[in-house]
């Protein structure tokens, strides 16, 4: 059985490639595959063990059996930098979901364009969250950030956030735009727009959207400092997007 495993962020950087080709002569589960990868690439074993496997753009529990032809990706803890991308021509494009509400790409973001997607005649509240690059974190100065994503899965998980919001706050609408590549100090990396009939739901839904984005959307951030760099993963407790 031939398997291709897509790599991202710190894992790809540590191993030195964005895809691994494997020939396996027996069925494997997600946990089996992670164990094999950790043994094959000991220099990245700790990061591999802390990562999850996505099968056909869905986070997969350890017992799931992998089949030939499945799209496999090793997903390190997300942070939602410049590195390998899902598609060789992605840098030229902005990728958008079928409903037009969710987008990801290298072009600068428009707050107005994202907000306009959720403004409707029957909603009295529209709230926009704008995430920008912060220069100082304590005594450490950031020069710029670099974002990388597993683009098709990022779009599908953004859409699932919108679906969750609509279920929790019926009638609420959500749009999310995220930038990739280099993002300089004070530039916008993410825009989340939420509208609802009443402002209380809009505030709650907006907070939910950014926290959920950082939990489940496969986007990674590399902080470039004056004296080094580091991939930033999930920073709000144990990372478990399967919950």
């Amino acid at each position: 059985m031939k398997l291709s495993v897509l790599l991202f962020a710190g894992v790809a950087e540590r191993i030195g490639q964005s895809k691994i080709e494997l020939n396996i002569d027996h069925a494997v589960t997600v946990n089996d595959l992670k164990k094999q990868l950790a043994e094959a690439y000991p220099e990245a074993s700790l990061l591999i063990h802390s990562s999850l496997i996505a099968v056909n753009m869905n986070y997969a529990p350890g017992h799931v059996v992998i089949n030939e032809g499945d799209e496999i990706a090793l997903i390190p803890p997300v942070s939602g930098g410049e590195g390998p991308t899902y598609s060789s021509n992605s840098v030229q494009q902005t990728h958008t979901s079928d409903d037009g509400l969710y987008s990801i790409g290298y072009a600068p973001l428009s707050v107005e364009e994202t907000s306009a997607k959720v403004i409707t005649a029957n909603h009295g509240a529209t709230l926009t969250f704008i995430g920008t690059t912060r220069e100082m974190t304590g005594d450490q100065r950031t020069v710029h950030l670099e974002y990388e994503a597993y683009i098709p899965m990022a779009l599908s998980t953004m859409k699932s956030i919108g679906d969750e919001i609509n279920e929790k706050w019926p009638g609420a609408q959500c749009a999310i735009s995220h930038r990739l590549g280099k993002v300089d100090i004070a530039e916008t990396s993410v825009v989340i727009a939420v509208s609802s009939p009443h402002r209380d739901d809009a505030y709650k839904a907006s907070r939910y959207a950014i926290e959920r984005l950082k939990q489940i959307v496969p986007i990674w951030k590399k902080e470039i400092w004056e004296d080094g760099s580091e991939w930033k993963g999930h920073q709000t407790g144990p990372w478990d997007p399967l919950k």
Side-chain angles (χ1 to χ4, degrees):
M1 176 171 66
K2 293 183 178 180
L3 295 179
S4 295
V5 182
L6 300 173
L7 306 178
F8 298 93
V11 175
E13 189 172 271
R14 193 74 56 85
I15 293 176
Q17 57 195 74
S18 60
K19 182 189 291 188
I20 295 172
E21 303 287 349
L22 299 173
N23 285 302
I24 300 175
D25 59 7
H26 56 84
V28 292
T29 65
V30 164
N31 281 343
D32 293 335
L33 179 59
K34 284 182 63 176
K35 182 178 179 181
Q36 290 188 31
L37 291 173
E39 291 173 350
Y41 300 94
E43 70 278 17
S45 61
L46 290 178
L47 190 50
I48 290 170
H49 282 305
S50 67
S51 300
L52 292 179
I53 296 287
V55 179
N56 299 323
M57 294 185 285
N58 290 296
Y59 292 108
H63 67 272
V64 169
V65 175
I66 296 173
N67 299 303
E68 189 167 19
D70 286 341
E71 181 167 303
I72 310 301
L74 186 65
I75 308 290
V78 301
S79 63
E82 186 169 322
T85 60
Y86 181 75
S87 169
S88 62
N89 62 3
S90 294
V91 71
Q92 304 297 330
Q93 304 173 12
T94 295
H95 302 262
T96 305
S97 61
D98 291 341
D99 58 12
L101 293 174
Y102 309 97
S103 65
I104 188 166
Y106 289 80
L109 301 179
S110 167
V111 175
E112 294 78 10
E113 182 178 322
T114 303
S115 298
K117 295 177 181 180
V118 300
I119 295 175
T120 69
N122 292 320
H123 285 184
T126 300
L127 191 66
T128 304
F129 171 86
I130 305 168
T132 57
T133 302
R134 180 178 63 242
E135 182 174 21
M136 300 301 299
T137 302
D139 296 329
Q140 190 167 52
R141 179 175 179 268
T142 297
V143 177
H144 65 266
L145 301 178
E146 295 174 353
Y147 285 93
E148 178 187 342
Y150 180 16
I151 292 172
M153 186 174 173
L155 287 173
S156 67
T157 46
M158 285 181 187
K159 186 178 185 305
S160 73
I161 292 172
D163 294 340
E164 291 169 11
I165 285 174
N166 189 258
E167 183 176 347
K168 289 177 176 291
W169 297 280
Q173 294 189 24
C174 177
I176 303 174
S177 301
H178 208 294
R179 192 171 173 187
L180 298 178
K182 180 181 177 183
V183 182
D184 288 321
I185 301 301
E187 288 189 342
T188 300
S189 57
V190 61
V191 179
I192 298 174
V194 175
S195 71
S196 66
H198 305 287
R199 64 179 180 273
D200 187 52
D201 285 352
Y203 279 113
K204 292 177 181 177
S206 178
R207 176 63 181 266
Y208 181 88
I210 185 60
E211 298 300 336
R212 196 70 170 133
L213 183 145
K214 289 179 173 291
Q215 182 183 27
I216 70 170
V217 179
I219 295 174
W220 299 274
K221 176 176 69 177
K222 189 175 188 180
E223 291 191 2
I224 310 299
W225 308 315
E226 293 176 304
D227 58 353
S229 64
E230 182 182 2
W231 286 100
K232 291 292 186 178
H234 191 65
Q235 301 171 62
T236 57
W239 182 59
D240 189 358
L242 290 168
K243 287 186 175 179

